[in-house]
Amino acid sequence: MASCGTVEDAKDEIMPKRKPECFYPTVSLKFRKALAQLLNPNEKTKKPKTRDDHNAGDLVLGFSGGIGSAILLDMVWRRYVLDADGKQDATGGSERRRPSVWKNIRIVHVEQCAAYPKSPDRTSEVHRLTERYPEYQLTILRIEDAFDPIWWKKHISLSQDSVRDDFSMDLSSLSLSHDALEAPALPVDRLRAYLETFPTSTAVNHAVDTLTRLLLQYFARSTRSSHILLGSSLTSLSVSLISGISQGSGFTVKEERDEIWEDIRISRPLREIGVKECAAWLWWRGLEVLPRNAADLVASNEAATIQRLTRDFIIGLERDYPSTVSAISRTLEKVGAKGDSSGLCPLCQRPTQSGVQAWKAKISMNELYPPNPDLSTKHNPFVERLCYACHTSLTSRSSRSRKPIGGQTVLPMWVTNNVASLVESSSMAVSPVMKNVGRAEMRESINEFLLE
């Protein structure tokens, strides 16, 4: 069918139900309500928090380059920089406006190209996209910094004695599939050796996300920041919640929305804003994001992960049922953890459910090969304190899994720094002895429940 020249020459544009003048206040109200709950957790009022209150610290904005993080930078700039104290009004005079909440606002980007060899380095693009916010301080972190003791000593404000240079452990009791007999020297090689211990693409992506999140948190602690804001929209948060539960993170559903880590509040203020609203804000404000193509999905092997499959399913379902993501988010907001926490997982720094290791040893088999009797009762305080999600990521098996090979396993710096304290505390506490249960013994224990 032929078309007229007017249609061919016309530019793409959004046909909204509302004008931008109505759209901005509506979306901004959702953003302000989420921040009001963050800044005033014990108050019923929704008024913004002022610097005169007990909030004393800087703000860290996590920037991944996606649509959510790009909008987060713009909303914070419009709300807490453009309208802050000390700005001049349109006539050039001084006008008292909204008090500044944070003294310094930092953009932190964690470059992940080292985790995926075929992925390009995009730090130059990050610098270009953040140039429009000169009031922000941009910091580029690299994901391999989690394995670099030199960088750790310099930037994380730890004493020289507290940073260990031996960044590997013997985790033979987990029967990991890796060939490294000794820890590599370069941080990039240590990162890749660490990721090779994870048997599936889903586990690798989960490990990369955990490294990124904890690098942000430790950097915020080193800069004495009080808050971390992440650009997860309603859609991306719903996908993250469902995929996390499917990987064993059900005990930490609450932390996926809002979290307090060492007096640092971590929040996602875009959690009530849908992806369509984000796209409209991006369009009208003229914002840019880091481009991604099919080659990036292949490089990160993301297309074959639970995270990607969950995202495709939920977004596809939302086309026919627009309230899908809202129902998921609001339902999981009411879900709470069952049972008490036994502390923090040394790998992901999130709460660990009490007795989870003993429970998993009874209901699952972690090995496809005969267990080593010398390792069945081997006491490892690190392994015993792993949460269910991290333990499952390390021990999950696929058709590509290889026979376990012994050796040293490279671990992030925050794990190795706490190994000594774990060993000391474990020597004083009495822990139950865990052993591998054979098929015959397992069948005998559940024989009365089997149907012949």
Side-chain angles (χ1 to χ4, degrees):
M1 180 182 295
S3 59
C4 63
T6 303
V7 176
E8 293 179 353
D9 298 336
K11 296 182 180 180
D12 296 334
E13 61 182 27
I14 296 178
M15 301 298 294
K17 296 181 180 179
R18 304 175 184 174
K19 294 183 179 180
E21 293 78 9
C22 301
F23 172 77
Y24 287 139
T26 303
V27 177
S28 298
L29 180 61
K30 298 179 181 179
F31 174 75
R32 294 199 306 269
K33 284 184 177 180
L35 275 185
Q37 297 173 5
L38 172 69
L39 301 177
N40 304 285
N42 299 322
E43 297 181 14
K44 296 182 180 180
T45 59
K46 301 299 182 182
K47 62 180 181 180
K49 190 177 180 65
T50 63
R51 193 187 300 176
D52 297 333
D53 296 327
H54 59 273
N55 174 37
D58 296 343
L59 172 65
V60 169
L61 302 176
F63 182 72
S64 65
I67 180 174
S69 59
I71 294 173
L72 176 66
L73 300 187
D74 189 63
M75 284 188 171
V76 172
W77 181 78
R78 285 167 57 94
R79 177 72 179 176
Y80 295 102
V81 176
L82 189 62
D83 293 340
D85 282 344
K87 300 296 180 181
Q88 292 184 343
D89 57 16
T91 62
S94 178
E95 178 186 0
R96 179 163 181 83
R97 300 187 178 185
R98 185 177 299 106
S100 299
V101 179
W102 300 280
K103 183 178 180 181
N104 298 309
I105 301 179
R106 294 180 173 86
I107 303 176
V108 180
H109 172 74
V110 180
E111 179 57 47
Q112 300 178 353
C113 64
Y116 310 111
K118 297 181 180 180
S119 180
D121 190 328
R122 294 180 173 176
T123 54
S124 59
E125 288 291 321
V126 173
H127 282 281
R128 183 182 65 82
L129 295 180
T130 56
E131 285 179 350
R132 63 185 297 165
Y133 309 110
E135 295 86 355
Y136 293 159
Q137 303 176 21
L138 176 62
T139 301
I140 302 292
L141 306 180
R142 295 188 173 274
I143 196 168
E144 62 267 27
D145 292 336
F147 301 86
D148 188 357
I150 299 177
W151 183 90
W152 207 259
K153 294 175 183 177
K154 182 179 180 180
H155 293 87
I156 305 302
S157 301
L158 297 175
S159 62
Q160 299 292 325
D161 297 334
S162 63
V163 179
R164 296 171 47 133
D165 292 333
D166 49 332
F167 32 77
S168 62
M169 287 183 62
D170 184 6
L171 300 182
S172 303
S173 58
L174 287 179
S175 301
L176 303 180
S177 299
H178 63 91
D179 300 323
L181 298 179
E182 59 181 10
L186 298 178
V188 176
D189 296 332
R190 297 171 199 163
L191 167 66
R192 293 174 181 172
Y194 171 72
L195 296 179
E196 287 178 358
T197 62
F198 294 90
T200 62
S201 301
T202 297
V204 171
N205 274 21
H206 174 74
V208 171
D209 293 341
T210 301
L211 293 175
T212 302
R213 174 176 59 83
L214 285 173
L215 277 175
L216 285 175
Q217 293 177 192
Y218 276 98
F219 177 81
R221 190 186 71 174
S222 68
T223 56
R224 303 183 185 278
S225 299
S226 58
H227 296 85
I228 299 176
L229 300 185
L230 304 177
S232 299
S233 64
L234 176 62
T235 304
S236 59
L237 178 61
S238 300
V239 172
S240 177
L241 290 171
I242 294 298
S243 62
I245 292 175
S246 65
Q247 298 173 69
S249 300
F251 190 74
T252 57
V253 167
K254 181 181 178 181
E255 282 72 18
E256 194 65 33
R257 296 177 60 90
D258 292 301
E259 183 178 2
I260 299 178
W261 180 83
E262 296 192 7
D263 296 330
I264 300 175
R265 293 187 174 273
I266 306 168
S267 182
R268 296 158 177 82
L270 305 183
R271 59 178 179 266
E272 299 295 336
I273 303 176
V275 65
K276 294 180 181 178
E277 294 173 309
C278 291
W281 186 286
L282 193 81
W283 177 275
W284 276 323
R285 290 288 297 162
L287 306 178
E288 297 183 65
V289 298
L290 289 179
R292 296 193 68 186
N293 49 38
D296 296 330
L297 294 178
V298 175
S300 62
N301 206 11
E302 183 181 345
T305 63
I306 290 179
Q307 296 91 331
R308 184 69 183 187
L309 295 176
T310 304
R311 177 181 179 275
D312 294 342
F313 172 73
I314 291 180
I315 291 180
L317 192 63
E318 191 183 14
R319 294 192 184 102
D320 298 326
Y321 306 94
S323 62
T324 299
V325 294
S326 178
I328 293 174
S329 178
R330 295 184 184 279
T331 301
L332 292 179
E333 186 177 1
K334 304 174 184 178
V335 176
K338 183 179 180 179
D340 299 328
S341 174
S342 59
L344 294 180
C345 173
L347 194 57
C348 70
Q349 296 289 296
R350 280 185 171 174
T352 303
Q353 188 174 6
S354 300
V356 65
Q357 295 299 336
W359 174 74
K360 186 170 183 179
K362 294 179 180 179
I363 59 98
S364 64
M365 296 181 63
N366 295 332
E367 299 179 6
L368 298 178
Y369 305 94
N372 188 343
D374 297 333
L375 301 177
S376 299
T377 59
K378 187 174 181 179
H379 180 61
N380 191 319
F382 170 77
V383 175
E384 293 178 1
R385 285 166 172 77
L386 286 175
C387 66
Y388 183 83
C390 291
H391 191 278
T392 301
S393 296
L394 286 167
T395 58
S396 58
R397 292 291 178 260
S398 67
S399 59
R400 298 187 300 273
S401 299
R402 300 168 293 166
K403 186 173 181 178
I405 301 176
Q408 294 293 316
T409 301
V410 181
L411 295 172
M413 293 303 303
W414 55 80
V415 177
T416 55
N417 289 336
N418 297 326
V419 167
S421 59
L422 284 176
V423 174
E424 292 175 0
S425 60
S426 64
S427 62
M428 300 174 62
V430 178
S431 302
V433 177
M434 298 176 56
K435 64 178 182 178
N436 293 321
V437 180
R439 286 179 176 271
E441 185 178 353
M442 182 181 295
R443 182 179 180 83
E444 182 180 355
S445 62
I446 62 174
N447 188 43
E448 58 178 313
F449 303 102
L450 297 178
L451 297 177
E452 298 295 342

